Each structure stands twice: as C-alpha cells, then as structure tokens.
C-alpha cells in the first residue's frame, strides 16, 4: 500500500468524509500563528488534508471573514453576538495565550514591571530606564540612564486590542483617553511600530534599551528577555505556562454568547495578568466547508495539546471543548 493511500485512509477514519484534495484556507491573527502553523503540519501528516493559515493580523482576518475571502479567520478580538449576527458569522475559541513585556537592556535580566510602570511606558511618560516608577520595583538592579524606546504593533492587531484592554483595566485615565483598540496613535515620542508580532520581535532585538508587548511564543522563539509583570493581587509573575494556565482557568467563555469574552487581567494571586483567548470565525452559510474547518480544530483540540504547551499556549480544557462541539452541532457545522 502506498504512503498516499495510507494517508487517505487515515484521513477518512479521523475526519469522516474529508478528502485529501481539500485545502482549507484561513487568515488573520498573528498571535496564535505559531501554534496554528504546527497544528496544520501535524494535521496534514496525520490525515493528508492541507490547511493554509496566513498570518495577517486580526483586523485583516476579520475583514477577510466578512468578505468571504477565506474558509476561516483568526482574531484575538472577539466579535460580539450582535456583530456576528450582522455579518452571518459563527465564532469559537482556538487557544489561550499570553502577551509579555519583552525588553532589550544589555546586561539586565529579572526586570519587574509594575502595573503603573507599564501604563506610563505606554503613555510615553517614562523617558529613562532609571525612572523611579521602574526602579521602585527593582531594588538591587542597576538600571541605566538610557532612553526608553517603546515598541508596539504598527498594523491592526488583536494583540494590541488585548494589551490596551489590559491597560484600560489598570488605568482609568488610559481607559477614558485611549480605550481598548486594535490600532492606536500611540502617545509620546519614544515609540516605534512593527508589523505583526514577528516585526515587534525584530525591533526589540535590534533596538537596545527598548521594551514592547509581544506574544510569548514569538518572544521565546526570538530569545527575547521577558519581564515579570505585577498582577491584580500585587504579585510579580514570571511569564510561564503554569501562570498562564492559572489565568486561563478564570475565563468565562459562554456558547450562548458565541464565546464572546475578554479575559485580560484575571483575578488570582498567581495569575499572569496579560492573557488572551484567540478566536476562529466561520461564515454561517458554508456549512459543508465549516464541517471541514471544525474537523481540523476538533483534531487539534484532541491531538495538539502538547504542541500548544511547547509553545507556551494553554490548550482549552475538556469542559470547554465539549461546549464548543455542542455549539458546532447546534449550528449544524459538525
């Protein structure tokens, strides 16, 4: 039996009715790109079915979904049930991840950033690394009198939305002045922007004395040092999987609301504070194609947990994936 035939048989068993000739096309959020990329490769290896997911950013993913230019789209900013209904879309979560504060200060590690320091850096109010708002949380750490460069996303981004949502939870002033948005005219004059999370990673690496918000997987992949961040309980939490899992457990993702929920800054003494669920959008009218899309994610939920963990993402718990499967069945897309 040839390898091709074997793969086709595996596909039939695992995916029920999927064909090796199917190519599912997706686009959007860059935040979960690393895990989706590995899931698609593993899915192809197991089933022979190809899934193409292009990292464009959440804004373009939402645009592609509304224009019906892809079979599914990824977005880190969930759409409300009202917006989903207006655009005849369904929505479900893919995975949970974390946004970190990556920095490049030569010779400095174990940096801690308080909630107020993160807001002030984002506002452009902290000019130098030896500012008291930063040094107060870093006793014994010698921070240089060097200018702070803040690195942000230049494109429309769900990572930016979740980061600014976190800032809005921390600071009333930020909430009233800037709010939570996918793109922003950043205040101050010490900031630079990069496209997608990979662009932010490159800028941080190239720019001494910079700091920026970036997803954990891209920071880790690029060897970027990440700060411990103060959570709601006042504890400084290192960006690591265990803390992400504790935070993710606080998420309330309800199928009655098409899983619409923003989970940044959860409660809990040991919760990492800047976490985000990322979502999948599918066009409601394409039921047969949607069944192929949900087969891919169903397979990934079951078989992709170790891949997700290895990249610092939190796989969705069984109780939630059971709700997602029921949601698919109710919508006729499983």
């Amino acid at each position: 039996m040839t390898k091709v035939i074997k793969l086709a048989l595996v596909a039939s068993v695992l995916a029920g009715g999927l064909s090796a000739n199917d190519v599912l096309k997706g686009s959007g959020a860059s935040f979960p790109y690393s895990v989706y990329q590995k899931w698609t490769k593993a899915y192809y290896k197991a089933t022979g079915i190809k899934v193409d997911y292009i990292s464009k950013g959440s804004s373009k993913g939402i645009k592609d979904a509304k224009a019906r230019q892809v079979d599914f789209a990824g977005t880190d900013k969930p759409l409300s049930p009202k917006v989903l209904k207006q655009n005849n879309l369904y929505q479900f979560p893919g995975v949970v991840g974390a946004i970190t504060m990556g920095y490049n200060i030569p010779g400095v590690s174990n940096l801690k950033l308080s909630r107020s320091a993160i807001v002030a850096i984002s506002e452009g109010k902290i000019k130098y690394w030896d500012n008291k708002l930063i040094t107060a949380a870093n006793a014994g750490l010698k921070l240089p009198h060097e200018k702070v460069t803040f690195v942000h996303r230049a494109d429309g981004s769900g990572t930016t939305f979740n980061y600014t949502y976190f800032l809005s939870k921390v600071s009333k002033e930020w909430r009233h002045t800037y709010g939570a948005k996918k793109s922003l005219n950043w205040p101050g004059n010490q900031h630079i922007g990069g496209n997608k999370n990979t662009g932010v990673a490159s800028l941080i690496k190239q720019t001494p004395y910079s700091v920026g918000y970036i997803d954990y997987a891209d920071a880790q992949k690029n060897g970027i040092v990440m700060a411990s961040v103060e959570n709601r309980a006042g504890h400084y939490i290192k960006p690591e999987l265990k803390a992400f899992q504790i935070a993710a457990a606080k998420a309330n993702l309800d199928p009655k609301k098409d899983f619409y929920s923003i989970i940044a800054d959860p409660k809990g003494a040991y919760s990492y504070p800047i976490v985000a669920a990322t979502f999948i959008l599918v066009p409601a009218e394409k039921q047969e194609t949607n069944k192929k899309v949900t087969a891919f994610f169903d397979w990934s939920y079951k078989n992709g947990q170790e891949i997700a963990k290895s990249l610092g993402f939190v796989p969705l718990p069984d109780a939630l994936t059971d709700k997602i499967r029921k949601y698919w069945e109710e919508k006729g897309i499983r």
Side-chain angles (χ1 to χ4, degrees), residues 18-45:
L18 289 176
S19 163
N21 294 322
D22 286 319
V23 178
L24 297 173
K25 295 187 179 300
S27 71
S30 65
F31 176 74
Y33 176 69
S34 58
V35 67
Y36 290 172
Q37 188 183 36
K38 289 206 171 186
W39 278 356
T40 57
K41 287 181 179 178
Y43 189 59
Y44 178 73
K45 187 176 180 180

Side-chain angles (χ1 to χ4, degrees), residues 117-133:
I118 292 172
V119 173
I121 289 171
S122 304
E123 290 176 327
K125 291 181 177 177
I126 289 182
K127 303 295 183 185
Y128 295 92
W129 277 106
D130 56 356
N131 184 286
K132 288 183 179 178
L133 208 50

Side-chain angles (χ1 to χ4, degrees), residues 41-318:
K41 287 181 179 178
Y43 189 59
Y44 178 73
K45 187 176 180 180
T47 68
I49 296 167
K50 191 170 184 180
V51 182
D52 284 336
Y53 180 80
I54 301 172
S55 169
K56 294 183 175 179
S58 294
S59 288
K60 290 183 179 177
I62 293 170
K63 186 177 178 181
D64 284 352
K66 289 180 177 178
R68 300 324 196 234
Q69 291 185 341
V70 290
D71 297 319
F72 69 96
T75 175
D76 304 331
K77 179 185 179 182
L79 301 186
S80 69
K82 181 180 178 181
V83 173
L84 290 168
K85 188 174 182 180
Q86 287 171 343
N87 292 280
N88 204 29
L89 294 167
Y90 297 143
Q91 175 176 264
F92 56 89
V95 71
V96 172
I99 299 167
T100 69
M101 298 302 294
Y103 65 94
N104 178 354
I105 311 175
V108 172
S109 58
N110 299 320
L111 181 71
K112 296 177 182 177
L113 289 175
S114 67
R115 297 160 74 81
S116 55
I118 292 172
V119 173
I121 289 171
S122 304
E123 290 176 327
K125 291 181 177 177
I126 289 182
K127 303 295 183 185
Y128 295 92
W129 277 106
D130 56 356
N131 184 286
K132 288 183 179 178
L133 208 50
I134 298 177
T135 59
N138 292 279
L141 195 65
K142 187 172 176 56
L143 290 165
H145 186 67
E146 296 282 353
K147 284 189 176 180
V148 174
T149 299
F150 175 62
V151 185
H152 58 80
R153 289 284 291 273
D155 54 329
S157 159
T159 307
T160 298
F161 171 78
N162 282 287
Y163 179 69
T164 54
Y165 185 91
F166 167 76
L167 298 178
S168 297
K169 296 277 281 187
V170 173
S171 165
K172 287 183 180 178
E173 181 182 345
W174 181 278
R175 182 165 68 248
H176 293 146
T177 307
Y178 307 107
K181 298 175 181 175
K182 296 197 295 293
S183 60
L184 193 74
N185 290 322
W186 291 91
N189 57 7
Q190 295 187 187
H191 58 84
I192 53 176
N195 286 319
K196 299 187 287 186
N197 278 293
T198 51
V200 171
S202 294
L203 286 175
I204 293 173
K205 289 179 72 174
Q206 296 166 16
T207 312
Y209 308 107
S210 63
V211 58
Y213 60 92
I214 180 174
D215 72 285
Y216 177 81
D218 276 300
Q220 188 182 47
K221 183 179 177 182
N222 286 280
I224 292 173
V225 183
M226 296 170 267
S228 296
V229 177
E230 185 187 15
N231 68 11
R232 288 176 67 170
H235 296 155
Y236 286 88
I237 307 297
K238 289 183 179 180
E240 54 190 14
L241 182 62
K242 184 178 180 181
F244 305 157
Q245 290 173 317
I246 293 171
K250 309 292 182 184
N252 180 21
L253 295 158
D254 185 352
K256 292 180 181 176
K257 299 177 182 176
D258 298 290
F259 303 99
Y260 177 76
S261 180
I262 303 161
I263 64 174
D265 206 28
K267 294 180 180 177
Y270 303 104
S271 295
Y272 184 79
I274 321 178
V275 288
T278 187
F279 299 84
I280 298 300
L281 302 171
V282 294
E285 74 279 6
K286 296 184 178 180
Q287 287 197 327
E288 292 308 309
T289 301
N290 288 341
K291 289 178 182 177
K292 299 170 186 176
V293 172
T294 58
F296 164 62
F297 280 97
D298 192 33
W299 184 93
S300 298
Y301 293 155
K302 293 174 182 171
N303 301 282
Q305 292 208 3
E306 292 308 313
I307 291 174
K309 288 179 182 176
S310 71
L311 295 167
F313 285 87
V314 181
L316 303 182
D318 290 344

